[in-house]
Amino acid sequence: MGIPIKVYRYEIQGTAADGQTWQTSGTMTDEHNDVLAVFDSAMRISFQQLTSGKAVFGKPGVGCSGPYDIKRIVIEKS
């Protein structure tokens, strides 16, 4: 019997260079029971969301540029 695949939901919130607030969120799967890889994946996906304009910003239309400061990270099993 193999390792069961786990699904996690993540939400990361923070601020940017000019004080804008931002939030990224999503889901990911863990096929290898590797919690460190789950954290790394959440951080990588979140950064991609921030740099591609797919994050939710506290001041819509203002945009958000780095450096980015992380204020809150939640990763929970779905």
Side-chain angles (χ1 to χ4, degrees), residues 7-11 25-28 74-78:
V7 177
Y8 291 91
R9 184 187 75 76
Y10 71 90
E11 181 178 289
S25 61
T27 58
M28 69 195 106
V74 175
I75 300 174
E76 60 188 5
K77 188 175 171 189
S78 295

Side-chain angles (χ1 to χ4, degrees), residues 35-47:
V35 71
L36 291 176
V38 169
F39 179 80
D40 288 345
S41 292
M43 295 302 292
R44 183 179 63 254
I45 295 166
S46 182
F47 184 73

Side-chain angles (χ1 to χ4, degrees), residues 2-21:
I3 298 172
I5 295 174
K6 298 176 184 174
V7 177
Y8 291 91
R9 184 187 75 76
Y10 71 90
E11 181 178 289
I12 303 175
Q13 299 172 349
T15 57
D18 295 323
Q20 302 99 330
T21 58

Side-chain angles (χ1 to χ4, degrees), residues 14-17 20 22 47 49-52 57 64-70:
T15 57
Q20 302 99 330
W22 56 267
F47 184 73
Q49 289 175 317
L50 277 169
T51 57
S52 66
F57 301 108
C64 193
S65 60
Y68 303 107
D69 188 20
I70 296 171

